[in-house]
Amino acid sequence: MPDPAQLAPEPEKLEDPSESPWSRGHRFADRTRDKHATVHELLAAGLSRRAIGRQLHMTSRTVKLLADAVTPEDLFHGQWQGRPSKLDVFKPYLDDRWNQGCTNAWTVWEEIVPLGYQGSYQRVCAYFREKRLSPGPATARPPSPRVVAGWILRRPESLNETEHLRLKAILVHCPELEALTGHVRSFGLMLTERQGERLPQWLDAVRRDNLPGLHTLAAGIDRDRDAVVAGLTLP
């Protein structure tokens, strides 16, 4: 009869990042992978499920779960799906990018790492794979223009993490809106910090961007520049 220790696969040096949301070194994941590999090796050697259960001291239900799973990752969803993940706070951003047509997990992973994501690429890939395989993937509804305008007009530090990430997802592929956001926030800083002396530079920066609507506003401000500077400077 085969020895399970001899049949257990050697640890893999490299892992296909497209296969699993749980990286190597995760105790429960590695244990499940080892058990899954051993059961399938014994099945391939011709042992019955009952014999495998006796040899490995497993219940028939455990043997059935491991034997029926094509990959060990198929077993993770039921057991650990509800556990908090480092990806949770970034899922609205991923949903927005998915809705915009970006279905490349690597691209989005590279986008969220600078935003503070410290998890693995595998988790991002698994989340996109679930959306791709689901007949009706649940995605966040695109925010309305009024909601987006509210995010732009508020102080950046007043946005919660989800709002910040969703706004970032919108701005990353709309250079005009990103430029508008910069000008609006710069003007807000002048207003709240009483930095009226910066108004001429602000007007010049606005004129350099192709934002006709903001050009109209800048022209009106320029006609009353002295009064606006005073309003942005004096108590």
Side-chain angles (χ1 to χ4, degrees):
M1 184 174 293
D3 183 354
Q6 296 175 349
L7 293 173
E10 294 182 0
E12 296 178 8
K13 295 182 179 179
L14 296 175
E15 179 182 9
D16 183 353
S18 67
E19 291 300 320
S20 173
W22 296 91
S23 59
R24 299 287 175 184
H26 189 286
R27 183 180 55 171
F28 296 104
D30 287 348
R31 185 185 303 168
T32 300
R33 290 187 181 100
D34 291 342
K35 290 180 178 179
H36 179 272
T38 301
V39 167
H40 280 262
E41 290 282 359
L42 293 172
L43 286 171
L47 273 69
S48 68
R49 296 188 180 192
R50 180 174 297 180
I52 293 172
R54 287 197 302 266
Q55 182 167 332
L56 300 180
H57 306 289
M58 293 180 180
T59 65
S60 58
R61 181 177 181 276
T62 300
V63 174
K64 183 179 187 303
L65 285 173
L66 292 165
D68 289 346
V70 178
T71 68
E73 283 71 29
D74 294 338
L75 300 165
F76 295 166
H77 300 291
Q79 186 177 2
W80 297 325
Q81 194 173 30
R83 294 192 177 187
S85 165
K86 293 179 181 179
L87 189 64
D88 288 347
V89 71
F90 295 91
K91 286 181 179 178
Y93 180 95
L94 268 59
D95 290 343
D96 285 339
R97 297 292 286 114
W98 181 275
N99 290 337
Q100 293 166 4
C102 181
T103 59
N104 186 300
W106 184 268
T107 297
V108 178
W109 176 74
E110 288 185 320
E111 292 174 0
I112 63 176
V113 167
L115 300 179
Y117 176 63
Q118 297 179 347
S120 65
Y121 160 74
Q122 289 92 331
R123 293 189 182 185
V124 178
C125 187
Y127 186 64
F128 269 24
R129 184 169 64 248
E130 289 176 7
K131 295 165 78 68
R132 190 174 290 110
L133 297 178
S134 174
T139 58
R141 292 183 59 187
S144 68
R146 178 176 296 181
V147 169
V148 175
W151 292 341
I152 293 173
L153 291 170
R154 285 163 54 190
R155 290 176 178 265
E157 61 271 19
S158 72
L159 299 177
N160 62 40
E161 198 162 8
T162 298
E163 292 169 337
H164 170 72
L165 289 171
R166 297 199 71 184
L167 178 59
K168 181 71 175 179
I170 293 167
L171 300 184
V172 72
H173 282 294
C174 185
E176 293 83 2
L177 193 57
E178 185 173 25
L180 173 65
T181 301
H183 293 314
V184 168
R185 289 179 171 175
S186 179
F187 191 89
L189 186 64
M190 283 194 295
L191 178 65
T192 57
E193 301 295 329
R194 299 192 183 281
Q195 298 176 349
E197 71 279 1
R198 293 180 51 212
L199 182 64
Q201 290 81 5
W202 183 86
L203 292 170
D204 290 340
V206 166
R207 294 189 183 100
R208 286 195 295 269
D209 285 328
N210 185 23
L211 299 169
L214 205 55
H215 289 176
T216 301
L217 173 65
I221 290 175
D222 208 18
R223 284 194 294 270
D224 296 310
R225 180 183 292 208
D226 291 342
V228 176
V229 170
L232 293 172
T233 306
L234 301 176

